[in-house]
Amino acid sequence: MASVQEIFPKPRIFISRCIEFDACRWNGAMIGCDFVRALKPFIEPVTRCPEAEIGLGVPRNPVRIVRHEGALALFQIATGRFYTKEMLAYCAAEIARLGDLDGAIFKEKSPSCGDRDVKIYASADPLAAQNGKGRGFWAEAFMQAYPDIPEENEGRLNNFTIREHFYTAIFTRAAFRQAKQSGTMKDLVNFHTRNKLLFMAYNQAVMRDLGRLVANHDQLPVGHIFFAYQEQLPRMFQRIPRRGSMVNVLLHAFGYFSGQLENRERSHFLELLEAYQMGRLPLSACQTVLQSWIERFNQEYLRGQSFFRPFPQALIDISDSGKGVGSARE
């Protein structure tokens, strides 16, 4: 029978449609992205192409964000037309139809879908200089509706650390959503228990707050507890965890086996741990050794911990562009 780590509910993820789903970019192309392609079997994608869907067509003359009459506007240089009203109306209508989501992947720098670093021009003059950066119209409206959602663009997903953090967040949120759908306190307790080490690595203060909710000493209604837990859970993934926090959890897990191991095994693991802390090895190098001991010594509690496999094994890829390490939302 598959272990709990191998059973993953499918996250519902918004993805800009031009990334691996449709040739709908302004030039009639589709953006290739290995990571979105790899994700497809494991998620429920929710896709949109705002520019095509407000009638700009495919292919189309490019649009840009400009400053106009004291506000930001969506402008098409080739026709001299503004599409601001159409875009705002589309965003209001379509975002209301998206439903529950566990994450989002945006087309970087797009005037509609760009989540950061979208060029803003000083005016509608075709020769106007760039005058700042911001979000695209769709991404801005989306983030207003989903302020705490894990979100990235296809460029930042080239970074292994950012990608691993994003995958962890979306699959954890999907698992919580599944527990919430069942609506029983038992399922919430099980969710919290199997994520205990993961939460310990990410944010111990939030972990303790969530633990107090699950303990429910005031005997509040189950629906109230689920609502409060859902409100707090996004805090867990606001930042990529530090290596030191991960090392503490790895050492905590190591303690379950230390007395049963040979000296050379202990020494080998501690060397791996030091290499990970120095940035010379991925986290999975240490986790894999611990997983082998979990099976060797039949450690049931650790076997059930999501920390050792927070997302499907098929998504692990240690290739890394070396860009973008830092806050989960910069």
Side-chain angles (χ1 to χ4, degrees), residues 9-66:
K10 289 188 172 185
R12 294 191 79 243
I13 306 297
F14 167 78
I15 304 177
S16 296
R17 186 172 291 162
C18 63
I19 307 174
E20 286 291 342
F21 284 91
D22 191 15
C24 58
R25 281 199 80 201
W26 67 272
N27 60 358
M30 182 173 73
I31 300 297
C33 179
D34 293 342
F35 311 117
V36 170
R37 195 179 313 123
L39 262 179
K40 280 185 177 182
F42 301 101
I43 64 172
E44 180 184 338
V46 179
T47 70
R48 296 289 189 280
C49 178
E51 292 176 29
E53 290 168 24
I54 65 170
L56 289 174
V58 182
R60 55 186 171 272
N61 292 310
V63 291
R64 58 167 55 174
I65 299 177
V66 302

Side-chain angles (χ1 to χ4, degrees), residues 185-203:
M185 201 65 197
K186 178 182 177 181
D187 285 312
L188 182 59
V189 170
N190 287 341
F191 170 82
H192 186 75
T193 299
R194 70 175 175 264
N195 286 291
K196 186 173 181 181
L197 292 189
L198 182 70
F199 291 170
M200 186 185 298
Y202 265 78
N203 192 316

Side-chain angles (χ1 to χ4, degrees), residues 17-325:
R17 186 172 291 162
C18 63
I19 307 174
E20 286 291 342
F21 284 91
D22 191 15
C24 58
R25 281 199 80 201
W26 67 272
N27 60 358
M30 182 173 73
I31 300 297
C33 179
D34 293 342
F35 311 117
V36 170
R37 195 179 313 123
L39 262 179
K40 280 185 177 182
F42 301 101
I43 64 172
E44 180 184 338
V46 179
T47 70
R48 296 289 189 280
C49 178
E51 292 176 29
E53 290 168 24
I54 65 170
L56 289 174
V58 182
R60 55 186 171 272
N61 292 310
V63 291
R64 58 167 55 174
I65 299 177
V66 302
R67 300 190 189 278
H68 181 69
E69 296 181 350
L72 297 181
L74 191 65
F75 182 67
Q76 190 175 55
I77 293 176
T79 62
R81 282 195 56 187
F82 288 95
Y83 285 90
T84 315
K85 290 180 180 179
E86 293 90 335
M87 180 60 75
L88 291 175
Y90 171 84
C91 291
E94 285 301 308
I95 287 173
R97 298 187 180 107
L98 296 179
D100 289 338
L101 293 169
D102 301 305
I105 300 174
F106 295 107
K107 175 67 193 83
E108 65 175 340
K109 301 180 181 179
S110 160
S112 55
C113 287
D115 61 331
R116 47 172 69 74
D117 294 334
V118 179
K119 292 179 180 178
I120 298 173
Y121 291 86
S123 72
D125 186 327
L127 300 179
Q130 183 182 330
N131 185 231
K133 292 182 178 182
R135 288 188 182 131
F137 275 87
W138 170 267
E140 179 63 33
F142 183 100
M143 294 307 299
Q144 291 290 330
Y146 298 90
D148 297 317
I149 201 166
E151 59 88 11
E152 288 298 346
N153 60 57
E154 88 284 9
R156 279 170 56 90
L157 286 176
N158 281 305
N159 178 274
F160 172 74
T161 303
I162 289 174
R163 188 168 66 252
E164 184 179 65
H165 172 74
F166 179 74
Y167 290 167
T168 299
I170 65 174
F171 281 95
T172 303
R173 284 173 62 112
F176 172 76
R177 188 163 49 82
Q178 185 180 67
K180 184 184 174 185
Q181 287 171 353
S182 73
T184 71
M185 201 65 197
K186 178 182 177 181
D187 285 312
L188 182 59
V189 170
N190 287 341
F191 170 82
H192 186 75
T193 299
R194 70 175 175 264
N195 286 291
K196 186 173 181 181
L197 292 189
L198 182 70
F199 291 170
M200 186 185 298
Y202 265 78
N203 192 316
Q204 292 193 29
V206 177
M207 179 191 73
R208 288 190 290 270
D209 290 343
L210 294 176
R212 283 191 285 271
L213 286 173
V214 172
N216 195 15
H217 295 303
D218 295 329
Q219 298 297 301
L220 297 171
V222 174
H224 179 94
I225 299 299
F226 268 103
F227 178 82
Y229 198 102
Q230 183 173 346
E231 290 286 297
Q232 293 294 321
L233 186 60
R235 292 173 53 211
M236 185 67 68
F237 300 104
Q238 285 176 343
R239 297 190 67 84
I240 294 171
R242 296 173 179 171
R243 287 181 184 270
S245 298
M246 288 293 191
V247 167
N248 289 339
V249 173
L250 291 165
L251 283 171
H252 177 81
F254 175 62
Y256 280 79
F257 311 110
S258 183
Q260 300 167 278
L261 299 170
E262 300 288 338
N263 287 338
R264 57 185 174 79
E265 292 177 299
R266 286 193 291 270
S267 296
H268 175 63
F269 180 75
L270 294 174
E271 288 170 3
L272 290 178
L273 203 61
E274 182 179 5
Y276 163 69
Q277 190 163 21
M278 298 297 292
R280 297 196 301 266
L281 282 178
L283 175 65
S284 57
C286 301
Q287 290 173 316
T288 299
V289 173
L290 287 170
Q291 284 176 294
S292 71
W293 292 338
I294 288 170
E295 298 308 317
R296 175 177 162 189
F297 298 111
N298 194 28
Q299 221 306 316
E300 193 63 31
Y301 171 72
L302 292 182
R303 182 181 288 126
Q305 287 296 306
S306 65
F307 174 79
F308 295 102
R309 194 172 295 171
F311 51 83
Q313 189 79 13
L315 296 177
I316 293 176
D317 180 350
I318 64 170
S319 62
D320 183 2
S321 71
K323 298 184 293 184
V325 178

